[in-house]
Amino acid sequence: MRPRVLGGGLVLLALLSFPTWGSPYFVGRVFTPAFIFGMIALSLCLLAGYGGMVSLAQMTLAGLAGYGYGYLTVTLGQPWWVGVFGGLLVATLVAFLFGVIAVRSTGIYFLMITLALGMVVYALANQNRSLFGGHTGILGIRPPELFGQGLTERVPFYYVSLLVGLLAYAFVRYLSRTPFGLSLQALRDDPRRLAALGFHNALHRVAAFTVAGFLAGLGGLLLVWYNGAISPTTIDLTRLINIMVIAVIGGLAYAEGAFLGALVFILVTNFASSFTQRFNTVIGLVFLLIVLFSPEGLSGIGLQIVRALQRRLQVRLAPVERAGME
Amino acid sequence: MSWPQFVTVTLNGLTLAALYFIVAIGFTLIFGVLRVVNLAHGSLYLFGGYVGWSVADRTGSWPLGALAALLAAALAGLVLEVGLLRPIHGQDLREALVTIGVSIIAADLMLARWGGFTYDFSPPEAITGGVRIPLLDIGYPKYRLFVLAFAIVLGLLLWFLLTRTRFGMTVRAAIDDRDMVAAVGIDVQRLFVLMFALGAGLAGLAGVVGGSVLSISSGEDARYLLASLIVVIVGGMGSLPGTAVAALLVALVEQYSLALFPTYAAIVSFLLMVIVLAVRPQGLFGRAA
């Protein structure tokens, strides 16, 4: 356990001090979006890893929070905190609605229905002008100013994204150990037995989907601040699938994987795009290779390496220990 | 709604239903037989459309383009099944993820090859132009009527193939009990590959037939994947009559609402899906999982 705490502390320290030694490009264009997309992917990890519900609609929920914020602050001219509250409310309520619709399907059917729901919101956003701004979307969205500091500044925005990401991460880890989280995992493994124990399975699923919608909404707010605008492109099929790609690359079953996957995804897209136009092909290939050869994603590979190293070390240390005993 | 308008809207609904049926039938065949959710179905549609356009453009023959689309998409499906899906057969989620990966790569490569342009087909003269519908005295495009007829013939052929031929019976037996079919000495894997190629080929053919109603351009893959998804979810996945009925229902409801209240038409097919799912989660003709 102790090496893990140590490792976590070192990562945290590195992330906190990163703006002081990292290049502005990496701070603003790689790590900040990695926290944001990581958070949206985290909501999928919560659903898929703990609840066994693979949803393709997480980006849709994030986008709806962004649309809610944009509509309230730009179209209606409300202050930012009304936008934040409204955006999160929209994401959470729609997640609840989606959950109710999809709750009776499982596995692959769940995936298809959430995909269809996501695409319908995309179609609606594209068509509707009064609420969604049609094809152009909502432009000129401004993030809030806190303590006289505009969030558009690179470093404050980095820290806000990091903080919200960490909170979301800690929340998911905490949730997985609460009775709710435990019954969710039991539901994933054996729904019939859990129902026999008197648990309300559907209620658990809907609750998990709603909570995940809230998390996705948080990510969506940060994303809309980062982009300064939102349009149907933000929630089109490619973006929906990108979240899945991120979560799978990182490892669906690991909360850390969401952020790791987002970082790798952004690095690959950024660097592949500097030497080839076909960076989507590169991403697709990476994704395909991971699905085919490492179902647990990069986190799974990482854990395997750590375990293998530990075994090696133990083998080497074993004779020494025995010698000490004598 | 006036009477001629009602007839036109109904005909539009029927044409759209025909198109939805042609696109979704390959998706549901593959799902019904192999239990694979092929999320690259839209990519096969688009691929068929592009190949069909290129061939029709070179040869000047629309039917040749349609044939090429069918064959090219069937071949792509064959490679997909044998190369990527077979090693992980039976793992639903991984199969779906693999097809997602393929759709990402396919979309990018097709963009590289055919660019972001819009391609228009010119079907043979015999099926273009307008026709006056007797008694009602309203004009209607011939090609749309052709699509309707094509869908009906295709549906009947598939129905015949599945229920009246030895191949179809074996396929249906394999859906119910794969091991038993294998045990009596039938090569189930070959059966599955053939069905996958057939479903993929139909998607490619739909690319030309459907692409000729509107046009073919990058991004259409998502649109037709969504249409297929909604139709098969409403109809019950893997069911041939379910696909036909759902295609009719979805398309007619869409067209009537487009005529009556255009602003909200986009969410009507969605509402239909929600209502069906609330009452029958397995879809109208689906069997309980």
Side-chain angles (χ1 to χ4, degrees), chain B residues 13-25 27-28 226-255 268-273 276-277 280 282-286:
Chain B
L14 289 175
T15 323
L16 189 65
L19 186 55
Y20 281 172
F21 177 78
I22 302 169
V23 181
I25 192 65
F27 184 87
T28 206
L226 173 68
S228 309
L229 275 174
I230 290 188
V231 166
V232 300
I233 287 173
V234 169
M237 276 162 268
S239 157
L240 189 80
T243 309
V245 171
L248 263 177
L249 211 59
V250 172
L252 283 174
V253 164
E254 257 183 45
Q255 289 298 313
V268 171
S269 52
F270 158 75
L271 278 179
L272 185 70
M273 187 177 81
V276 169
L277 283 177
R280 276 181 73 87
Q282 70 271 38
L284 292 177
F285 286 70

Side-chain angles (χ1 to χ4, degrees), chain A residues 54 56 97-98 101-102 104-105 107-109 111-113 115-117 119-120 123-124 127-128 237 241-242 244-245 248 252 277-285 287-288 290-295, chain B residues 27 31 35 37 39 84 88 92-94 96-105 108-109 111-112 221-223 225-226 229-230 232-233 237 263 266-267 269-270 273-274 277-281 289:
Chain A
V54 184
L56 270 170
L97 192 71
F98 281 12
I101 294 169
R104 285 167 76 184
S105 11
I108 206 73
Y109 294 85
L111 179 117
M112 275 194 277
I113 284 163
L115 175 60
L117 288 171
M119 293 302 291
V120 165
L124 182 66
Q127 299 280 334
N128 180 294
L237 180 68
I241 285 175
N242 280 354
M244 163 78 74
V245 172
V248 169
L252 268 180
Q277 269 195 300
R278 304 268 70 82
F279 53 88
N280 271 327
T281 303
V282 178
I283 278 287
L285 281 175
F287 176 76
L288 209 53
I290 285 190
V291 172
L292 286 174
F293 298 110
S294 170
Chain B
F27 184 87
F31 181 82
R35 300 277 131 189
V37 172
L39 294 174
L84 292 173
I88 53 168
D92 297 355
L93 193 60
R94 276 177 87 193
L97 292 178
V98 162
T99 58
I100 285 182
V102 169
S103 74
I104 298 172
I105 299 170
D108 198 42
L109 292 181
L111 189 66
D221 45 353
R223 204 176 129 179
L225 177 63
L226 173 68
L229 275 174
I230 290 188
V232 300
I233 287 173
M237 276 162 268
T263 336
I267 53 168
S269 52
F270 158 75
M273 187 177 81
V274 171
L277 283 177
V279 185
R280 276 181 73 87

Side-chain angles (χ1 to χ4, degrees), chain A residues 106 183-201 205:
Chain A
T106 49
S183 42
L184 199 62
Q185 292 165 60
L187 183 62
R188 171 198 62 198
D189 297 332
D190 197 340
R192 197 175 290 177
R193 194 176 292 179
L194 201 70
L197 284 171
F199 283 81
H200 197 311
N201 287 2
R205 285 213 173 96

Side-chain angles (χ1 to χ4, degrees), chain B residues 105-282:
Chain B
I105 299 170
D108 198 42
L109 292 181
M110 286 191 281
L111 189 66
R113 172 68 183 79
W114 282 282
F117 312 106
T118 302
Y119 294 94
D120 287 309
F121 287 92
S122 34
E125 265 177 47
I127 48 171
T128 48
V131 64
R132 287 211 87 70
I133 295 168
L135 298 175
L136 299 167
D137 200 37
I138 43 176
Y140 201 74
K142 250 192 244 173
Y143 183 75
R144 287 179 168 248
L145 294 176
F146 163 77
V147 173
L148 187 57
F150 183 82
I152 293 171
V153 171
L154 181 71
L156 288 175
L157 278 178
L158 285 174
W159 173 81
F160 185 81
L161 176 76
L162 285 176
T163 58
R164 293 288 181 272
T165 64
R166 199 184 158 77
F167 174 76
M169 286 179 211
T170 327
V171 163
R172 284 188 301 137
I175 296 172
D176 289 334
D177 194 337
R178 186 190 166 154
D179 295 335
M180 189 57 82
V181 172
V184 296
I186 290 164
D187 189 346
V188 178
Q189 289 215 318
R190 210 188 64 181
L191 208 65
F192 282 6
V193 171
L194 283 175
M195 278 315 277
F196 203 101
L198 177 64
L202 286 174
L205 182 63
V208 173
V209 175
S212 305
V213 177
L214 305 159
S215 53
I216 277 288
S217 64
S218 146
E220 293 289 281
D221 45 353
R223 204 176 129 179
Y224 285 97
L225 177 63
L226 173 68
S228 309
L229 275 174
I230 290 188
V231 166
V232 300
I233 287 173
V234 169
M237 276 162 268
S239 157
L240 189 80
T243 309
V245 171
L248 263 177
L249 211 59
V250 172
L252 283 174
V253 164
E254 257 183 45
Q255 289 298 313
Y256 286 134
S257 51
L258 202 62
L260 294 172
F261 35 91
T263 336
Y264 299 102
I267 53 168
V268 171
S269 52
F270 158 75
L271 278 179
L272 185 70
M273 187 177 81
V274 171
I275 294 167
V276 169
L277 283 177
V279 185
R280 276 181 73 87
Q282 70 271 38

Side-chain angles (χ1 to χ4, degrees), chain A residues 46-71:
Chain A
L46 167 69
L47 284 176
Y50 298 131
M53 293 176 280
V54 184
S55 156
L56 270 170
Q58 296 316 105
M59 191 65 214
T60 306
L61 297 169
L64 283 172
Y67 266 116
Y69 181 87
Y71 181 73

